[in-house]
Amino acid sequence: MSAIRILRGVYRGKTIKNQCFTLVSGFQTGPKGGYVTIANNGSLGKNLPDNIRVLVDAISDYEMVNGDTVEQNKPAARVAAFVVETEEQAMTRIRERFEILTEMSKACIGGDIRAMIVSGPPGVGKSHGVEQEIEKATLFDKIAGKRLRAEVVKGSATPIGLYQALYKYSDPNCVLVFDDCDSILLDDVCLNLLKGALDSGKKRKISWLSESSTLRREGIPDSFDFKGSVIFITNLKFDKMKSQKLRDHLDALQSRCHYLDLTLDTMRDKILRIKQIAKDGVLFADYDFEPETQDTIFEFMEKNQDRLREMSLRMALKIADLRKLSPDNWRRLAETTCMKAAD
Ligand SMILES: Nc1ncnc2c1ncn2[C@@H]1O[C@H](COP(=O)(O)OP(=O)(O)OP(=O)(O)O)[C@@H](O)[C@H]1O
Ligand SMILES: [Mg+2]
């Protein structure tokens, strides 16, 4: 059985903070809002049922705990025996995920992998990680003497726009990146084109069967073999999609792609990621901050973690801008522009 730590939750009017339990079933929503079901371990009161629903606002209000264990008949001991991931271990886990992102991006660029989906919360460095590898590859022209051709498509694309883009980048030395282009993942025609383009057979033929003057004008044939690679970057969590129809569709795409979930879902992980990038000396490189100034920014972010509109590298950069703009008044500026109104 899995173990979780509830970071913030409510049971029968009582607040639960940072307590570990055995998970019975994950986040669901009911008439009272979101909840997670845990096994009664005796710590929440007497004469309670075996399974207890704790109200939580979102999935991010609890996290999985590694190393859950032992002694089935002694629930209290089970709680005590949870191995809580240290900050250092979490940092290593997060760093590894981003190393994998780099490796997989390289493999896609080199044509060793034909497709990858990168999923993760906003502002944690998904686009940055992929774009950096593309820039490197373009700059040094490493790809077996062949020039890499890459394009990052952001925003939305129509089915015919997607067909055109796939054609333009259909050679083996091409990479197409769809960054935050969720509309193509949610459209039937687009998904069917992508399924054809990324199929696992030797030939990946895709066709546009209806008459199109746009294609004719641009000299694009109504079918061709796609030999390039594709990277999707998205905030969608494929396995958590609610609509069954959509999930079936996305499953078909996921089965053709390597799927990398960066799993930075808890507040703690996001804060650690920000600290990690800052520690590496790259996040605030353009600001010339003293180390103490960096620390005050982190302190501010940690203290106000529940009020900030999001916890991300992007938010850290926004606050750094304000600090630079107004060394005396930046906290007030940040409160006004970066935070949700107090309840
Ligand atoms: N490794 C890094 N080193 C320095 N800066 C970084 C790094 N990763 C990300 N950043 C900076 O953090 C900000 C957010 O990163 P990025 O745009 O890649 O996030 P994202 O995960 O793609 O977010 P979204 O889902 O909203 O598109 C950018 O300004 C980027 O330059
Ligand atoms: Mg992005």
Side-chain angles (χ1 to χ4, degrees), residues 121-128 131 154 179-180 233-235 314:
V124 296
K126 300 182 297 297
S127 305
H128 182 92
E131 279 171 15
K154 291 193 180 184
D179 192 355
D180 284 328
I233 305 176
T234 178
N235 298 136
R314 213 174 271 135

Side-chain angles (χ1 to χ4, degrees), residues 8 267 270-271 274 296-320 322 330-342:
R8 275 172 301 269
M267 184 62 83
K270 289 176 191 162
I271 294 174
I274 299 169
T296 36
I297 293 177
F298 293 143
E299 268 166 36
F300 179 80
M301 290 183 79
E302 262 188 286
K303 193 166 146 231
N304 294 293
Q305 54 180 265
D306 292 326
R307 288 188 57 207
L308 286 172
R309 288 185 196 282
E310 72 176 32
M311 182 59 75
S312 65
L313 293 168
R314 213 174 271 135
M315 181 58 82
L317 291 172
K318 276 188 207 167
I319 297 177
L322 298 176
W330 61 277
R331 286 187 180 80
R332 241 179 67 74
L333 294 177
E335 272 192 29
T336 317
T337 61
C338 304
M339 290 191 195
K340 296 174 256 188

Side-chain angles (χ1 to χ4, degrees), residues 107-148:
C108 258
I109 292 166
D112 299 319
I113 287 176
R114 70 185 56 167
M116 147 168 101
I117 300 165
V118 184
S119 157
V124 296
K126 300 182 297 297
S127 305
H128 182 92
V130 172
E131 279 171 15
Q132 205 177 31
E133 289 315 307
I134 289 184
E135 256 167 49
K136 272 192 218 161
T138 321
L139 212 64
F140 300 116
D141 227 1
K142 277 180 187 161
I143 323 287
K146 280 186 278 177
R147 251 186 81 70
L148 170 74

Side-chain angles (χ1 to χ4, degrees), residues 57-68:
D57 284 339
I59 281 179
S60 53
D61 283 348
Y62 66 90
E63 59 190 21
M64 303 307 288
V65 180
N66 293 336
D68 45 327

Side-chain angles (χ1 to χ4, degrees), residues 60-102:
S60 53
D61 283 348
Y62 66 90
E63 59 190 21
M64 303 307 288
V65 180
N66 293 336
D68 45 327
T69 43
V70 292
E71 299 196 62
Q72 293 299 325
N73 300 322
K74 290 185 185 168
R78 207 184 310 157
V79 172
F82 287 143
V83 179
V84 177
E85 193 183 33
T86 65
E87 204 158 281
E88 209 172 310
Q89 285 167 335
M91 286 266 205
T92 308
R93 169 174 53 79
I94 295 166
R95 195 181 288 285
E96 273 170 6
R97 286 279 157 153
F98 278 86
E99 280 167 6
I100 293 173
L101 174 63
T102 306

